[in-house]
Amino acid sequence: MTTASTAPARSPITWVASLYFVQGMQFFVVMLIAGLMFKNMGVANDQIARWTGLLGLAWAFKPLWSPFLEMARSKKLIVVAMQFTGAAGLALMALALQLPMYFAASIAVFFVLAYASATHDIACDGLYMASLNDKQQAAYAGWQGAFFNASKFLTLGGLLVLAGHLETRFGVFNAWSAIFVLLAVVLAALASYNAWALPGTLNTDHADLTAASVLRTLLEVVKDFLQKPGIWLAILFIVLFRFAEGQVQTIGPLFLIEARDKGGLGLSTEQVGGIYGTVGTAAFLIGSILGGYFTSWLSLRRAMPVLIVAMAVPNAVFYYLASTLPTDVVHIGAAVAIEMFGYGFGFVGMILFIMQAVAPGRFQTAHYALGSGVMQLGFIISKTISGDIQISMGYEHFFLWTIACGVPALALMFFVKFPAPEAKSD
């Protein structure tokens, strides 16, 4: 690995945290905040699910253009440029929400934000790997994950609470315009800081790359991926694993805000932000950590049935909430905590399946990216159709349907190829 920088190397702690905080913030604004904002603006569930689902395709398809970024001599330049693009996009969102055709204008701006964020992710991870040796990468991985998830706490917690407070005083549209102005200022400040703090690593090893050679390599990577034994069954399993999740994670938060006379729980934006930003985030992190240890202890093959059942916990929780319609916020918060714990615990299974069963081979890193893209695509497909299904069924029957959607993945897991477990004494 060759790096070049004229300035003295700074400690990674000066830039890893800010880099991954921005990565998470841009992702969660598009994939989480957009839907809840549109719900409060009176947009129907099918429209929300369909359009926010299409926005998510940016992260599903990013492996297809990621190799071409290797042609750039500086990943830092790409990172900082995409961060400033994101800041400009957030400022435009504040203006778009004041237009008569606010929904179309907002989707157009979110489209730019999504693809800028996905491109930022590629360069961001590349800069991290190019700038740090293996020991440093492991040492700062915890900081990486912590600040990525801290941005989720900010968006689902702090921002929703603030938005709910502003909605009651200034109206929904003015409140969200103010939120996006605030986000634009924060992201511009972080982009300016990262322009100073990020290491100026040059891609000197790849300066001779051409678009034609990159395209040839990409086609070879994709061909090798599709020729792996059992790959089509594995792809189907990945899609089915997330089929129920994409639906419930899209409609669930909208159900919490939906008026009670329409079958929802009638919570305010502030209440939803408080629940997801505190107990929801904590439960997800605890579930993820325990799911990893559980799978490590039992092996992926033996743990997978439990992990798939855990992924059905959110569906069952929302079915319970839709059936009973509790009014106590503590009761609802406890249910959401169980939902997020199950989600975090079970989701580990798909990450490890791609890592251990799909990625290994000649192009392990590239095939992991392709497998992750398939995983995101499965989520997006189910997310996109979830609104239409919910409107036709109603909330209670919809969440019962999502429970049934987990059965095919459970059945298929007995036919897909898993890595052989490491030998150990029982």
Side-chain angles (χ1 to χ4, degrees):
M1 181 185 303
T2 303
T3 62
S5 180
T6 57
R10 296 186 180 92
S11 169
I13 197 62
T14 63
W15 56 268
V16 170
S18 61
L19 181 64
Y20 280 92
F21 184 86
V22 170
Q23 185 190 71
M25 186 175 80
Q26 294 185 102
F27 175 78
F28 291 125
V29 164
V30 177
M31 295 305 294
L32 293 178
I33 289 296
L36 292 168
M37 177 188 76
F38 286 138
K39 183 66 177 178
N40 283 349
M41 293 176 175
V43 180
N45 286 358
D46 56 344
Q47 291 284 80
I48 293 173
R50 187 177 302 121
W51 286 103
T52 57
L54 290 175
L55 292 171
L57 290 175
W59 288 274
F61 292 144
K62 71 179 182 181
L64 299 182
W65 72 85
S66 62
F68 293 93
L69 297 187
E70 293 295 338
M71 297 172 61
R73 287 183 57 83
S74 172
K75 290 187 175 69
K76 174 181 178 177
L77 179 62
I78 299 173
V79 168
V80 174
M82 291 302 102
Q83 290 183 3
F84 277 115
T85 300
L90 292 169
L92 284 175
M93 274 300 304
L95 296 175
L97 294 177
Q98 300 301 316
L99 299 175
M101 299 291 291
Y102 77 91
F103 184 72
S106 298
I107 292 297
V109 176
F110 273 131
F111 181 89
V112 175
L113 285 171
Y115 281 86
S117 176
T119 303
H120 172 273
D121 290 358
I122 300 164
C124 168
D125 293 335
L127 180 65
Y128 181 86
M129 291 186 287
S131 302
L132 304 179
N133 59 39
D134 290 347
K135 184 176 180 180
Q136 289 175 315
Q137 288 177 25
Y140 289 97
W143 289 93
Q144 181 192 89
F147 277 85
F148 182 87
N149 284 291
S151 66
K152 186 176 184 179
F153 177 84
L154 170 71
T155 53
L156 270 183
L159 280 182
L160 277 185
V161 171
L162 178 59
H165 177 70
L166 294 176
E167 283 175 357
T168 59
R169 300 190 61 182
F170 305 109
V172 174
F173 289 87
N174 290 334
W176 281 101
S177 285
I179 289 295
F180 280 106
V181 168
L182 175 62
L183 282 169
V185 171
V186 170
L187 185 50
L190 287 168
S192 300
Y193 173 80
N194 285 329
W196 168 81
L198 293 177
T201 304
L202 298 180
N203 295 347
T204 53
D205 290 342
H206 306 291
D208 59 341
L209 288 178
T210 64
S213 65
V214 171
L215 180 59
R216 283 195 300 271
T217 302
L218 176 62
L219 292 176
E220 185 180 359
V221 166
V222 174
K223 180 180 178 182
D224 189 78
F225 180 78
L226 296 178
Q227 289 179 342
K228 289 188 171 189
I231 189 62
W232 291 105
L233 203 59
I235 288 174
L236 180 60
F237 178 64
I238 292 170
V239 171
L240 291 177
F241 188 95
R242 302 203 74 183
F243 188 64
E245 175 210 347
Q247 296 179 71
V248 79
Q249 294 300 323
T250 302
I251 300 300
L254 305 182
F255 160 74
L256 298 179
I257 292 178
E258 187 74 86
R260 297 187 73 85
D261 59 1
K262 295 181 179 179
L265 293 187
L267 298 183
S268 67
T269 306
E270 195 170 353
Q271 288 173 319
V272 173
I275 291 171
Y276 273 111
T278 53
V279 295
T281 300
F284 179 81
L285 292 176
I286 293 170
S288 298
I289 293 169
L290 293 181
Y293 282 119
F294 175 79
T295 306
S296 175
W297 167 63
L298 206 57
S299 85
L300 180 60
R301 177 191 292 274
R302 292 157 67 186
M304 186 59 81
V306 179
L307 299 175
I308 293 175
V309 170
M311 287 295 287
V313 168
N315 315 343
V317 166
F318 274 110
Y319 175 67
Y320 164 76
L321 290 174
S323 302
T324 60
L325 297 177
T327 57
D328 180 22
V329 176
V330 175
H331 185 172
I332 297 170
V336 169
I338 296 171
E339 172 229 338
M340 294 300 285
F341 177 87
Y343 181 27
F345 191 95
F347 188 69
V348 169
M350 186 44 58
I351 296 295
L352 291 175
F353 178 77
I354 296 171
M355 191 177 294
Q356 297 178 11
V358 174
R362 292 173 57 204
F363 305 103
Q364 182 166 337
T365 301
H367 285 178
Y368 178 79
L370 285 173
S372 298
V374 171
M375 177 180 69
Q376 182 68 7
L377 185 60
F379 180 86
I380 294 304
I381 291 171
S382 59
K383 178 183 179 73
T384 303
I385 64 175
S386 61
D388 297 281
I389 297 173
Q390 183 276 313
I391 287 177
S392 66
M393 288 186 167
Y395 283 110
E396 185 175 352
H397 290 109
F398 169 78
F399 291 123
L400 185 62
W401 151 258
T402 64
I403 295 174
C405 286
V407 175
L410 189 62
L412 189 60
M413 66 150 287
F414 295 102
F415 300 95
V416 296
K417 179 182 177 182
F418 284 89
E422 295 180 357
K424 64 178 182 178
S425 58
D426 292 328

